[in-house]
Amino acid sequence: MTKNLAVIVVLLSAASVAAMPMEPHPAPGEPGVEQADWRASFHIMKNVDSVHEVKLNGKTCQFSYRAANTAHQEAWEMELKEENGEFTCIIRDVDPSPPHASFYGFSAHMFGAKQDVLVADEVWDHAGQLMLAGEDYLVEGNTIRTTSHWDMRGVATITIKSE
C-alpha cells in the first residue's frame, strides 16, 4: 500500500508541475524585447525588418536591417565589450557557408555614446574588403547606415566604438 501511495504522490506532483503556467522565454534580440545581455545570437531572415540589440553598462548597441532574398537564416552574433572606458560593438556573420545575406539596408547605433558620437567604425564584406565610410556607408553621430546608393554587397562584420 505504501508503494502505491508513493507512486500516486509522484504522479500527482508531476501533473501539478506540468499544469503550472510557464513564463515565455523570447528569443535573444527579438524586436521589442529588453535584453540585458552583452552578447546575442540571431538568424538573418529574408524580407523582414529586424532589430537586435545588446547592452552593457549604460550603452546599447542596436543593429537594424532588412535582408534581401539571398538570406538563408545564417547565424549572426552581436557582442558589446568595454575596455578602458571604450565600448566596442561587433556585429558579425558567423555562418561560413555561402551564399551570404545581402541587405537592402542596415544601420548600427551606439546609444549612450559620449557626446552621441562614434570614435571608430569599420564595415567588412565577405571578400575581406574594408568598405569605405562616406561611399559605402554613412557615419552620423552615434550611427552608421547604408547610403542611398547601397550596392547590397554581403556584409561580414560591422564594428562601432564609442566612449
Side-chain angles (χ1 to χ4, degrees), residues 108 116-123 132-147 159-161:
D116 284 330
V117 296
L118 299 175
V119 295
D121 56 88
E122 289 183 347
V123 180
L132 300 175
E135 288 184 30
D136 296 314
Y137 66 95
L138 298 175
V139 180
E140 298 172 328
N142 65 346
T143 300
I144 65 169
R145 67 173 180 83
T146 50
T147 63
T159 303
I160 57 175
K161 294 183 179 187

Side-chain angles (χ1 to χ4, degrees), residues 29-108:
E30 197 170 275
V33 173
E34 276 297 310
Q35 186 173 336
D37 295 337
W38 53 273
R39 175 178 269 171
S41 297
F42 55 94
H43 294 272
I44 302 291
M45 306 294 289
K46 65 182 177 181
N47 296 320
V48 175
D49 294 325
S50 295
V51 178
H52 302 278
E53 61 183 37
V54 289
K55 298 179 180 187
L56 179 67
N57 296 336
K59 305 288 190 265
T60 299
C61 178
Q62 184 182 80
F63 179 51
S64 305
Y65 64 89
R66 183 173 184 96
N69 289 330
T70 58
H72 66 284
Q73 297 185 15
E74 65 256 27
W76 278 60
E77 68 181 17
M78 294 178 69
E79 182 177 7
L80 184 55
K81 301 186 259 187
E82 180 181 13
E83 188 174 323
N84 300 323
E86 188 172 85
F87 291 81
T88 303
C89 181
I90 302 168
I91 306 158
R92 65 179 153 255
D93 182 355
V94 294
D95 188 342
S97 306
H100 298 288
S102 293
F103 297 96
Y104 290 121
F106 71 83
S107 61

Side-chain angles (χ1 to χ4, degrees), residues 106 123-125 129-133 136-137 150-151 153-155:
F106 71 83
V123 180
W124 293 85
D125 67 15
Q129 302 245 335
L130 182 63
M131 295 183 178
L132 300 175
D136 296 314
Y137 66 95
W150 174 248
D151 66 8
R153 289 195 302 191
V155 173

